[in-house]
Amino acid sequence: MAHRQAWSPQGPRATDGCRTLSPGSRAVSGGRQQCYSRCPICDHHHHQHAVTHPAVMHQLGSIEESDRELYTQQAVVFIEDAIQYRSINHRVDASSLRMYRWYYSRICQWGLGLTIVVVLLLAFVERPSSLSVSSDPRHRSPSWEPPCGFTESIEMVCLLIFCLDLAVKSYLIGWEEFRKNKWLIGYSVIISVSVIDWVLSVSMVCDEKLRVRRLLRPFFLLQNSSLMKKTLKCIKRTLPEIASVILLLALHLCLFTMIGMLLFAKTEDTKKNGEWELHFRNLPNSLTSLLVLLTTANNPDVMIPAYSLNRGYSIFFVAFSVIGTYCLMNLLTAIIYNQFRGYLLMSVQTSIIRRRLGIRAAFQVLSCLGPGEATEECVHVDAVLEVMSRVKMKSYYRAAITKEVQHYADVGYMDCEQFRKIFDELDKDRIKEHPPLPQYSSPVLQRLQVIFSHYYLTVLGNAVALANVICICTVLVLNSEKSTTERDNYVLEIINLCFILYYLLEMSVKIFAFSWRGYLSYRNNIFDGFLTILLLVLQITIYITYRHPHSQWDPSSHEVLSLWEMIRLVNMLIVFRFLRIIPDIKLMALVASTLLDLVKNLRAFAGILVVVYYVFAVFGIWLFEGAIKPPPEMSVHSNSSMENITSNFSMECGTYEQLGYWPNNFDDFAASIILLYDVMIVNNWQAFMEAYSRYTTSWAKIYFVCWWFTSSVMWVNLFVALILENFIYKWDRSHKCSVTDVERIRYETSVQLIFKGQIQEPTEEELLCQLHQHPHLHLHW
């Protein structure tokens, strides 16, 4: 730090001075702009630059080759940071940059991701193991239990990799940045606690009742995704905003609970106590009944005892549902959507600033290689092209940016604004250009090419595919009451053969019209062609196996797959092939592409859901493992203890036992995941809550209510909101496009692009101020 202040005129950070600098920080003398060198000096080469800096100020062309390589490497890394929305606050010396690029290489990131997946999947193998065919305790075979040390060895390898990951991250950003990074501090604490718990587990020969580190494993998934951390931060900030509606909802629930307990109080006439006995016996029971009614899971069962006595009682339940379910719950959804969207926009704004800052930093270091006599800061076109050749990015973006750079080849250099604009290509859609049609010399072939490349051929193919599906449906309806041995598979086989031959003909003429490359350039053609070839292979297999099957052929004696099984597979593929119509219907194509984008771009939200599932599943195992036991076998004679056990197994309609929900339990991790999913759907979720509160304690209801609120209220509403944002974004951008344009344009939809129209671009002064505050890049003006 003493060296920095010794020759940096504005101190270590120059925070106050940078606020007064004009964009570009150019000094004005006599009405003419003068170019001053802005050489970034890294920590590693600090002393060397302190000596050579005056020479650099006067003649940038005499820059040493090692310095030139360093500046180029810094620019490459800064541009890669901008592409990936990463922070540029890391070390910038040559060795650190090599380590940085190695760390963010595809193989290292895939290896780290695989390690996280492995450590999370250990929960399925550890005790209680999920390695059994069924989760039903009535006929579940003993699951395989790994020997002590097996999963522990795998886990220790994963923890060592996490330690290496933490060490590399900490070194790259430096100690000062590490102390300010709460996620890395938490990362080190989680690893330390996990190692301590691992040592205790091994010392107890894997016989411990509680593994604390299992609950901490989802943290490894969270800290590895910047977008997931932003999403979690947005959710945390959203919670106080919706507290008022939650309080209003709780007030609504409590008010109607008290009214219900007054309306359905116990009377002397036992025939009129049905509602009290089932749903309003006490305060916890009343609250639970109305809370479940809020989700409509027990409607109309909850009101039937009272409604059968007096139809006027329905007013109470209808009023509760209208106010709670249709007003307050939907209002809660709207508030969650609005508030979360606002905070997500703020996070996306930060990502965009990171991209602009990375591009500005790349220009700053490349300006050290610019012409020293220029009147303003600039970079050589050759230097930009060299940097772009080294940057790891998608090929079509590289080609687009390189093409833009070539426009300045005659001038030889680019200024700051020109340099920034060439990277606007990163925010544009990718236009997929199909190969040109093959040229035929024969007039007959040219005429056939025009016919076979016409859009009406695709329409005809869709009509034939629809006719094929209708034929299959007709045959299935006619044979629905027949067994597989009674069905006449011969007729259906002949029908499918005719249609498959047409599909093969259609594919052949399209290849003739478009050529192989042109045919495969359409995604729907790839889908269509793959299924056509697969159907042809199955048809040939049927012919080889059964030769020419006639109507009296009995395939049951054959050792291979029966004719019906093979035809059934063919029918499934034909029905699946009918999805080829999706790209030809604009709205349907947009819906399908939105679903695909959800898979690609909303992984952060799916990751948070995985974390929530994981944590609640671990807690569920800790609290309820083995809580519900199946009834004893009928051959076992009853005794006093058995009578006590079987007395709990009421076969009342709608209960856990009567519905046969035995496979849904917390006896292992996989079963816990499925049970939590069933509760999230809120269909009959009260059966699980009632059963576990009956077998354990009434406080078990808190666990299920917390899970319902977290999954069904919070996360599902957020997911619906983001589906709406994604679809509206694509709909607005494709509103004026034809069906062909929708096929040609590959929308690179991301969360950043969804909010692009509402993002405020940072000013030049704001970028320069942040560059001055870089902990390792020291700029001199």
Side-chain angles (χ1 to χ4, degrees):
M1 296 299 295
H3 286 292
R4 297 181 189 175
Q5 294 190 5
W7 66 288
S8 176
Q10 295 177 346
R13 296 293 177 88
T15 304
D16 297 331
C18 73
R19 294 196 184 110
T20 62
L21 293 174
S22 61
S25 299
R26 303 184 182 95
V28 180
S29 175
R32 175 176 174 171
Q33 293 179 334
Q34 297 180 350
C35 179
Y36 286 84
S37 170
R38 302 174 177 86
C39 295
I41 310 300
C42 63
D43 292 337
H44 183 67
H45 295 275
H46 179 75
H47 295 287
Q48 176 184 354
H49 282 281
V51 176
T52 62
H53 191 66
V56 178
M57 291 286 292
H58 289 87
Q59 189 176 4
L60 292 173
S62 62
I63 295 177
E64 295 182 7
E65 187 62 30
S66 60
D67 294 337
R68 181 182 297 274
E69 175 63 24
L70 174 62
Y71 298 151
T72 303
Q73 194 173 359
Q74 288 173 344
V76 169
V77 172
F78 287 150
I79 292 176
E80 290 177 348
D81 289 339
I83 294 173
Q84 301 297 330
Y85 302 103
R86 292 195 298 253
S87 172
I88 66 170
N89 292 334
H90 52 76
R91 297 180 185 271
V92 291
D93 60 277
S95 59
S96 297
L97 290 176
R98 285 192 296 269
M99 179 183 293
Y100 184 84
R101 297 193 76 194
W102 169 82
Y103 176 78
Y104 282 105
S105 63
R106 181 172 298 180
I107 185 171
C108 286
Q109 291 303 305
W110 272 92
L112 182 58
L114 179 62
T115 304
I116 294 173
V117 171
V118 169
V119 79
L120 291 177
L121 290 179
L122 287 177
F124 292 94
V125 184
E126 295 172 331
R127 185 181 61 82
S129 174
S130 303
L131 302 180
S132 60
V133 177
S134 174
S135 62
D136 193 331
R138 294 174 298 179
H139 45 77
R140 177 176 54 198
S141 58
S143 57
W144 178 75
E145 296 287 347
C148 181
F150 178 76
T151 58
E152 286 74 17
S153 300
I154 298 176
E155 187 175 14
M156 178 49 66
V157 173
C158 295
L159 290 176
L160 290 176
I161 294 176
F162 292 143
C163 289
L164 178 62
D165 176 53
L166 176 63
V168 172
K169 283 182 177 178
S170 303
Y171 170 76
L172 289 175
I173 67 173
W175 172 247
E176 293 295 330
E177 292 296 311
F178 175 83
R179 291 194 305 174
K180 296 184 292 184
N181 194 316
K182 297 179 181 179
W183 281 98
L184 286 183
I185 294 175
Y187 195 14
S188 59
V189 172
I190 294 297
I191 292 176
S192 302
V193 174
S194 299
V195 171
I196 294 173
D197 189 63
W198 183 89
V199 172
L200 293 175
S201 178
V202 173
S203 63
M204 299 174 65
V205 199
C206 310
D207 195 30
E208 77 282 10
K209 300 298 182 182
L210 200 65
R211 293 192 176 188
V212 178
R213 65 185 184 277
R214 176 184 280 191
L215 189 64
L216 305 179
R217 288 171 185 167
F219 183 87
F220 300 131
L221 179 63
L222 283 177
Q223 65 84 29
N224 195 48
S225 171
S226 59
L227 186 57
M228 201 178 297
K229 288 185 283 190
K230 284 185 175 65
T231 306
L232 192 64
K233 187 177 181 180
C234 293
I235 294 175
K236 185 184 72 173
R237 290 185 176 182
T238 303
L239 290 177
E241 303 294 336
I242 64 174
S244 58
V245 181
I246 295 176
L247 290 176
L248 185 60
L249 191 63
L251 180 62
H252 166 73
L253 184 63
C254 293
L255 179 64
F256 272 83
T257 297
M258 290 185 288
I259 296 175
M261 294 183 69
L262 292 173
L263 282 177
F264 309 114
K266 185 178 181 181
T267 64
E268 298 297 331
D269 190 355
T270 56
K271 295 181 179 180
K272 297 181 179 180
N273 290 336
E275 191 71 34
W276 169 83
E277 185 176 356
L278 293 176
H279 306 293
F280 291 90
R281 178 182 290 269
N282 49 47
L283 182 60
N285 194 16
S286 303
L287 281 171
T288 303
S289 299
L290 291 182
L291 179 63
V292 175
L293 179 60
L294 199 65
T295 65
T296 70
N298 61 351
N299 186 67
D301 299 348
V302 69
M303 62 179 287
I304 290 300
Y307 183 62
S308 61
L309 297 176
N310 190 331
R311 68 179 70 209
Y313 285 127
S314 62
I315 299 176
F316 170 82
F317 296 98
V318 171
F320 176 82
S321 297
V322 169
I323 298 174
T325 304
Y326 297 107
C327 293
L328 293 180
M329 291 297 289
N330 288 328
L331 180 62
L332 183 63
T333 301
I335 291 178
I336 291 174
Y337 168 56
N338 185 63
Q339 295 297 330
F340 180 81
R341 189 178 186 275
Y343 287 120
L344 186 61
L345 178 60
M346 293 171 56
S347 297
V348 172
Q349 178 77 45
T350 304
S351 298
I352 296 300
I353 292 176
R354 281 186 173 184
R355 170 168 286 187
R356 302 295 180 258
L357 186 62
I359 294 171
R360 188 64 179 82
F363 177 83
Q364 203 64 52
V365 296
L366 286 178
S367 66
C368 291
L369 306 177
E373 298 81 7
T375 59
E376 62 180 48
E377 58 178 349
C378 54
V379 296
H380 276 298
V381 170
D382 293 338
V384 177
L385 291 175
E386 181 183 359
V387 168
M388 293 310 303
S389 65
R390 297 190 188 184
V391 173
K392 296 178 182 178
M393 60 191 308
K394 294 182 179 179
S395 58
Y396 50 86
Y397 283 141
R398 188 199 311 275
I401 294 175
T402 303
K403 183 179 178 180
E404 291 294 320
V405 175
Q406 295 290 353
H407 293 163
Y408 303 97
D410 295 337
V411 180
Y413 61 88
M414 305 168 61
D415 61 23
C416 182
E417 183 64 19
Q418 293 168 341
F419 185 82
R420 185 193 65 79
K421 284 185 176 180
I422 65 173
F423 289 96
D424 289 344
E425 297 294 326
L426 295 173
D427 300 329
K428 296 182 180 180
D429 295 321
R430 178 189 176 187
I431 306 298
K432 181 181 179 182
E433 297 293 341
H434 298 294
L437 297 178
Q439 301 295 324
Y440 294 104
S441 57
S442 171
V444 177
L445 295 180
Q446 292 176 359
R447 183 60 182 170
L448 290 175
Q449 184 182 33
V450 172
I451 296 174
F452 295 148
S453 61
H454 201 278
Y455 177 71
Y456 286 155
L457 180 66
T458 301
V459 176
L460 177 61
N462 292 337
V464 173
L466 177 61
N468 194 356
V469 172
I470 292 175
C471 290
I472 293 175
C473 291
T474 303
V475 174
L476 291 177
V477 170
L478 294 176
N479 295 334
S480 59
E481 298 295 332
K482 299 179 181 179
S483 64
T484 55
T485 57
E486 296 174 343
R487 298 185 180 187
D488 190 358
N489 300 318
Y490 175 74
V491 176
L492 190 57
E493 163 63 15
I494 296 300
I495 293 175
N496 288 340
L497 177 62
C498 296
F499 281 106
I500 291 172
L501 291 177
Y502 173 80
Y503 299 151
L504 183 63
L505 176 63
E506 181 188 14
M507 184 179 72
S508 302
V509 298
K510 282 187 175 181
I511 293 175
F512 163 78
F514 295 102
S515 76
W516 273 107
R517 291 184 60 234
Y519 179 83
L520 295 177
S521 65
Y522 293 88
R523 288 168 289 180
N524 58 329
N525 283 344
I526 297 175
F527 173 80
D528 191 26
F530 173 76
L531 290 182
T532 299
I533 294 175
L534 192 57
L535 287 170
L536 182 63
V537 171
L538 285 173
Q539 199 64 39
I540 295 174
T541 304
I542 291 175
Y543 180 78
I544 293 176
T545 305
Y546 298 105
R547 299 300 179 183
H548 184 67
H550 48 80
S551 58
Q552 286 78 30
W553 177 263
D554 180 18
S556 59
S557 60
H558 216 282
E559 295 181 357
V560 296
L561 289 176
S562 68
L563 179 61
W564 161 246
E565 290 173 337
M566 301 191 73
I567 291 179
R568 180 169 57 183
L569 181 58
V570 170
N571 292 338
M572 290 179 182
L573 292 177
I574 290 174
V575 173
F576 188 60
R577 185 182 179 276
F578 186 64
L579 296 177
R580 58 171 278 172
I581 70 168
I582 290 179
D584 299 319
I585 302 175
K586 181 179 177 181
L587 182 58
M588 193 179 296
L590 286 176
V591 172
S593 60
T594 300
L595 293 176
L596 292 177
D597 281 333
L598 287 175
V599 176
K600 294 186 298 181
N601 301 312
L602 299 183
R603 289 173 293 182
F605 304 95
I608 291 178
L609 183 64
V610 169
V611 170
V612 175
Y613 262 96
Y614 203 99
V615 171
F616 272 86
V618 172
F619 269 120
I621 294 175
W622 288 354
L623 296 173
F624 308 118
E625 180 187 359
I628 298 182
K629 302 292 185 182
E633 297 295 335
M634 299 300 294
S635 59
V636 178
H637 297 286
S638 297
N639 52 34
S640 59
S641 61
M642 285 297 177
E643 289 174 359
N644 293 332
I645 296 176
T646 56
S647 63
N648 290 326
F649 287 87
S650 172
M651 297 301 290
E652 182 182 350
C653 182
T655 59
Y656 181 95
E657 297 85 359
Q658 186 271 329
L659 294 171
Y661 284 170
W662 302 106
N664 296 281
N665 52 61
F666 288 102
D667 292 348
D668 58 69
F669 190 79
S672 303
I673 295 292
I674 299 301
L675 191 150
L676 291 176
Y677 173 78
D678 292 337
V679 174
M680 187 180 74
I681 301 301
V682 301
N683 185 27
N684 267 354
W685 72 290
Q686 73 277 9
F688 302 107
M689 183 167 54
E690 185 273 336
Y692 276 96
S693 62
R694 176 158 44 89
Y695 282 99
T696 56
T697 174
S698 297
W699 294 103
K701 294 180 180 179
I702 297 178
Y703 171 87
F704 289 94
V705 172
C706 289
W707 170 247
W708 162 76
F709 182 81
T710 303
S711 61
S712 186
V713 176
M714 289 292 298
W715 190 89
V716 171
N717 286 330
L718 291 175
F719 191 67
V720 169
L722 288 164
I723 289 178
L724 291 175
E725 284 291 341
N726 199 304
F727 178 77
I728 292 172
Y729 168 79
K730 301 198 73 169
W731 174 258
D732 290 341
R733 304 199 68 187
S734 305
H735 190 63
K736 298 180 180 179
C737 296
S738 63
V739 174
T740 306
D741 293 331
V742 173
E743 167 67 24
R744 289 178 64 243
I745 299 176
R746 288 186 177 178
Y747 294 103
E748 298 297 326
T749 310
S750 64
V751 178
Q752 286 80 9
L753 293 183
I754 289 176
F755 294 97
K756 180 183 176 182
Q758 305 168 51
I759 291 175
Q760 182 180 1
E761 290 288 340
T763 64
E764 176 74 5
E765 186 176 5
E766 291 172 347
L767 296 178
L768 292 176
C769 285
Q770 293 198 34
L771 283 179
H772 269 287
Q773 297 171 8
H774 195 289
H776 305 286
L777 187 68
H778 309 298
L779 304 176
H780 300 272
W781 309 79

